[in-house]
Structure formats: structure tokens, C-alpha cells
Amino acid sequence: MGTAKLTLDGQVLELPTVVGTEDEVGIDISKLRKETGAITLDYGYGNTGSCESAITFIDGEKGILRYRGYAIEELAEQATFAEVCYLLIHGELPERSQLDAFVQKLTYHSMIHEDMKKLFEGFPPTAHPMAVLSSMIVSLATYYPHANENVDLNIMRLLAKAPTLAAISYKKSIGQPVVYPRNDLSYTANFLHMMFAVPAEEYTVSPVLDRALNLLLVLHADHEQNCSTSTVRMVGSSDANLYASIAGGVCALWGPLHGGANQRVMEMLARIYEDGNDYRKYVDKAKDRNDPFRLMGFGHRVYKNFDPRAKILKRVADEVLDELGIDNPLLDIAKNLERVALEDEYFIERKLYPNVDFYSGIIYSAMGIPTRFFTVLFALGRLPGWIAQWKEGRDSPKTRINRPRQIYTGPKLRPYVPLDRRG
Ligand code: SDX
């Protein structure tokens, strides 16, 4: 344990430091306001740690991402999503018997209460699926009102039912009958079956798509204290139940600067395609301070090197399209955008690289997922990470209700003026 010295108006304050497993150093300012009356101010929390966590490690400068110490590259290639869910939530890779029991619970709890289907009737077919997903997840709290009394059971309920809720939302949006989950299919195959099976014909899940979906979910499973995960921990810090906390995370992820970027990337690529493939024009627009246009899927608060997930997704996008015999011109546009941007001083100077959202939409599209559902797929992947982080926050003796301070910049004290004297 080291110390940091802070001098404020001649007062010298010694603050303890906390050093993490990978030698990251944090200055503990818990006593700052009490000793000096001052607070810190850090817009966007770019320099502020909200907690200590043992779940995910990111080294943004080196492009490293590990879940519970395992490299994302190894997990993406070798682990099933169910294994990664178990790893993130329980901290260790499951043994065969533990994994079988975990998967059995995911299968057993995949149905939703029949009455929940009535809730879907209230949404217009044009409802954005992220609004539907967050509403339906928080509605689970009405069917399981004692969620905080049996956390482990409700964690399995949520993990198991989320794909079912997402698939029903999709079927409702296209006017097709709901397809129920099946007990003979894996987590990922079940989701694809619920999304794309129709009563009129036999639907066989493509092993290519099943493998691609497993990889996409693994890559999205956790990412330490990002905007939506911090939201989940924030809501959970008030002792709100699991469903309420996760629904908050879904809403935060929806934002186009966060998980909503994957939908915006595909809309951007389609716009460039319709504009004659003039990708250089859009790189120039992204650099123009007077132009609100941003290269969606590029840049990251933490990664100042390649997002390791983007590297994997770029390769998998090629493989999936080749295996399916799909020629998607948007993939070529994405690759050209990346190539031109990475040679351009503006992007090099700001260390802007493709992030997880840049190539994922190409693969979702090849799977038949409509663009407006891309962020729902991101949410399904991030669910175990949100859950693991929520649980870690709940279980930590160091957790207090999150209540940041502020610097007030409003009017000083002034007397009330009655309405008839306000002019
Ligand atoms: C995700 O945090 C996570 O871990 C998130 C995530 C996860 O797994 O949970 O990784 C998932 O959200 C990935 C990010 C998806 N969002 C996008 O792709 C949207 C496009 N990207 C940007 O909006 C931006 O890069 C952010 C939001 C991702 C990061 O924003 P920051 O850290 O606040 O950076 P910034 O806006 O301060 O940008 C720094 C500079 C600025 O230029 P200057 O003012 O210094 O001249 O870089 C520029 C920005 O204008 N810049 C971009 C850009 N991103 C940043 N310029 C053009 N195009 C971009 N995409």
C-alpha cells in the first residue's frame, strides 16, 4: 500500500493507494472531502474508479481483454457461451458436471409465464426492440417479486428467459407466431430456432450460424465498468432487484455512443453504399469538426490500440460470409474505411481504431438479424457480465449506495417573487 500526496491551499494530504493484480494504481480519495472540503471532478469518469473488481481486465494500450484471467482470444475460439456465463458469474471455468447442471437450468427456465405474452400485445409492431427488451426484463420482477431473496435462481431465470423474450419481440415485430424454446437445443441454437423457425416448415439450425452466434455472445459477455455495466452497478447499489438493475443496463446500452453503435454502423455503411461507395468522403466528414458525422464503430474510451474483439470479428465476418456464400458489399466498405482511417493522421493522433461494433453487424446481418435488433444481440451477450458485476457489487462489503457529488454552478440565494410581481 503506497501513498499519494495532494497539496490544496497549502494543506498537504496523504492519500493511500490501492494496487491491482495487474499493477494498476488507484488513489483512494475516500477521506478527501472530510479532510479538505474539496471533491474531485472527472467528466465521464475517465480517470475515476468506481469499485475494485475481479471479473474482467482490460489493458487499453495493449489491446488486452481477459475474463477472470482467461484471454478473450482463447475463450472466443474454444469456449461455449454457457461456459463463459458460468465463468463470469462464478469465477471459475465449470467442470463437466457443473456445466451440465448449469445448462440444464438454462433449458428448464427458458419458458416465460404465458400471461407475459399479453404484455407484448401492448407494443406497436414498430416498437424499438431495446424498449421492448428493457420493459419485459423489468416485468419479470412482477412475476418473481422476491428476486433478491433467491438471487441464484433468479440469475438463472433471467439468463434463460432473455433469449425467449428477444425472440418473441422479433416474431411480434414481423407478425409471425411465437416459437417456443425447445429442450433439445443448445442456448444459441434455441435462440436461432425461436427467431427463424416457422410452423409451415422444418427449420434446421445452421452450424455456421450457431458457431458465429456463440462467438459473438462470448465476445460481448463483459467489458468491466463501461456505461451500461456501471449503470447496472449504480442501480444495484440501492439494493434494487436483479431485473430492475439489468433493465437499466439495457437502456444505457441502447445509446448510439455505446451498444447502439452496431445499428448505426450498418446504417452508416448502407448510406456510404447508396452514396456511390465514396468512403473517403465519409472519413473526411468524420474529421471535420463542423460536421456532426462520426465514424460509428470507431474509437473507444479505453482501447487506444485495436479492440481485440474487432480483430476477431473482422476475421469471422470473412469466414461466415464465405461459408454462407454471401457477398455483402458493406464488408468491403468497412474494410476500406478501416484502411483509410488507420493511415490518416487524424485517427492515428487520436488513437482511434475499430471497436467491437464495427464488424459485428456484418455477421448479424448474415445471420438474418434485422439491423434494429443488433443491439438486442449485444444485450444478450452482455447479460452474464451485467449479472456478474451486479452480484459482485451486492456481495462486496465495500459497496455503498452510489451517490456522486457535484460542483454547483447555479444562482446564489435569492428571494421568492410572487407571480403578480414577475412582470
Ligand atoms: C462500446 O466502454 C466500453 O467498454 C464500451 C464497449 C463495451 O464493450 O461495453 O466497448 C462497447 O460502446 C464501443 C463504442 C461504440 N461507440 C461508437 O462506435 C460510437 C463512435 N465512437 C465515439 O463516439 C467515441 O469514440 C466513443 C464514444 C466510443 C468514445 O468517446 P470518448 O472516449 O469520450 O472520446 P472523445 O469523444 O473525447 O473523442 C476524442 C477525440 C475527439 O476529437 P478532438 O475533440 O480531440 O478533436 O476523438 C474524436 C473526437 O471528436 N473521435 C472521433 C470518433 N471518436 C472519437 N472522431 C470521429 N469518429 C469517431 N468515431
Side-chain angles (χ1 to χ4, degrees), residues 11 13 15 31-38:
Q11 178 188 355
L13 183 64
L15 296 165
K31 65 182 183 181
L32 176 66
R33 189 170 185 278
K34 189 177 169 200
E35 303 277 337
T36 69

Side-chain angles (χ1 to χ4, degrees), residues 406-422:
Q406 64 166 26
I407 295 296
Y408 175 69
T409 57
K412 284 188 173 290
L413 178 65
R414 50 183 175 167
Y416 176 79
V417 177
L419 185 57
D420 57 8
R421 283 171 40 203
R422 280 180 221 155

Side-chain angles (χ1 to χ4, degrees), residues 223 257-258 289 294-295 297-298 300-301 309 346 382:
H223 215 239
L257 295 184
H258 190 14
R289 274 186 165 287
R294 280 204 159 183
L295 213 48
F298 248 78
H300 199 278
R301 173 64 57 77
R309 302 167 297 177
Y346 174 92
R382 186 52 52 86

